[in-house]
Amino acid sequence: MSSALDRKKNDDIIDEEEIDMTSMPLEKKEPTPALAESEDPNYFDINPMRKNCTFCSQSVVTYVEHEVNPLFGLSAIACFLIFGLLSAIILPVAFMVTKNAVHRCSRCLQKMGEKRCFGLPDDYSEPIWHFRLGKCSIITSRIYAIVGLVCFSILAGYYVYMRPSMVKDNPLFHHN
């Protein structure tokens, strides 16, 4: 039993060689930058980037502000007209998705550029349409996009305006 106690005491004693940390070189790890890099001066991402400011002529890391897309008001009204009170579920998600990332110079605070996270086609006469939603994109031909939007509008209108009249015990449906 005494040998077990002696072994425990020896395990509890720490050698000075184990404690001496001054002789060991410390490894300095450089933090990995979360900056987006691009050669194109007109390209902006949703993350801060290293750019040359055209106003103060300095190389800076941009300051990013998230602003609401100007089309959000119109889409909120359209959503309310189509879905009624169900739009209270959809609008907070749409608000978060349609924000724009505005890059400003960290020294002079001038607007350097903007990344639009929500985008419709630039030219509706083009045969290929490009829809952007954050970092996701849908690229489709014009005819398929129009057919899809018409089908979605018809189904949404049917669901919101016609479906409540099909249920007999619906208190929202007024019987004459």
Side-chain angles (χ1 to χ4, degrees), residues 9 20 33 37 56 58 64 67 86 99 127 132 136 145 152-155 161 171-172 174:
K9 285 181 182 177
D20 188 18
E37 297 290 333
C56 63
Q58 297 289 323
V64 179
E67 296 178 353
L86 292 175
K99 286 185 174 182
R132 285 186 320 274
C136 300
F152 175 77
S153 299
I154 290 170
L155 289 173
Y161 296 110
L172 297 176
H174 185 53

Side-chain angles (χ1 to χ4, degrees), residues 121-137:
D122 295 328
D123 187 10
Y124 293 107
S125 64
E126 291 286 326
I128 303 294
W129 284 3
H130 179 214
F131 297 95
R132 285 186 320 274
L133 189 60
K135 288 193 173 184
C136 300
S137 294

Side-chain angles (χ1 to χ4, degrees), residues 2-176:
S2 67
S3 66
L5 288 173
D6 290 337
R7 211 173 334 143
K8 185 177 179 205
K9 285 181 182 177
N10 288 338
D11 290 342
D12 289 341
I13 298 173
I14 301 173
D15 293 334
E16 289 182 14
E17 295 173 2
E18 293 177 14
I19 295 175
D20 188 18
M21 299 293 283
T22 58
S23 63
M24 297 173 49
L26 295 176
E27 293 181 20
K28 293 183 180 180
K29 294 183 180 178
E30 295 182 21
T32 56
L35 300 177
E37 297 290 333
S38 174
E39 299 284 331
D40 186 13
N42 295 326
Y43 173 77
F44 292 95
D45 194 26
I46 59 174
N47 296 325
M49 300 181 74
R50 181 168 298 282
K51 294 283 185 178
N52 290 324
C53 179
T54 57
F55 300 101
C56 63
S57 301
Q58 297 289 323
S59 177
V60 296
V61 175
T62 60
Y63 169 70
V64 179
E65 291 181 332
H66 294 281
E67 296 178 353
V68 179
N69 191 323
L71 294 177
F72 176 72
L74 294 175
S75 63
I77 292 170
C79 185
F80 184 74
L81 291 176
I82 293 173
F83 295 110
L85 293 177
L86 292 175
S87 63
I89 298 170
I90 299 169
L91 286 179
V93 174
F95 177 76
M96 296 302 291
V97 169
T98 60
K99 286 185 174 182
N100 293 337
V102 177
H103 289 260
R104 297 188 182 276
C105 175
S106 58
R107 293 180 191 251
C108 64
L109 297 178
Q110 293 292 323
K111 181 178 176 181
M112 295 174 63
E114 182 176 10
K115 168 70 173 173
R116 295 185 179 201
C117 297
F118 177 75
L120 296 174
D122 295 328
D123 187 10
Y124 293 107
S125 64
E126 291 286 326
I128 303 294
W129 284 3
H130 179 214
F131 297 95
R132 285 186 320 274
L133 189 60
K135 288 193 173 184
C136 300
S137 294
I138 297 175
I139 300 172
T140 183
S141 68
R142 178 178 47 199
I143 189 70
Y144 289 131
I146 292 172
V147 167
L149 290 173
V150 167
C151 289
F152 175 77
S153 299
I154 290 170
L155 289 173
Y158 175 76
Y159 176 76
V160 171
Y161 296 110
M162 300 301 283
R163 188 161 186 254
S165 65
M166 298 179 126
V167 179
K168 301 287 186 215
D169 298 331
N170 190 351
L172 297 176
F173 182 66
H174 185 53
H175 298 284
N176 287 335

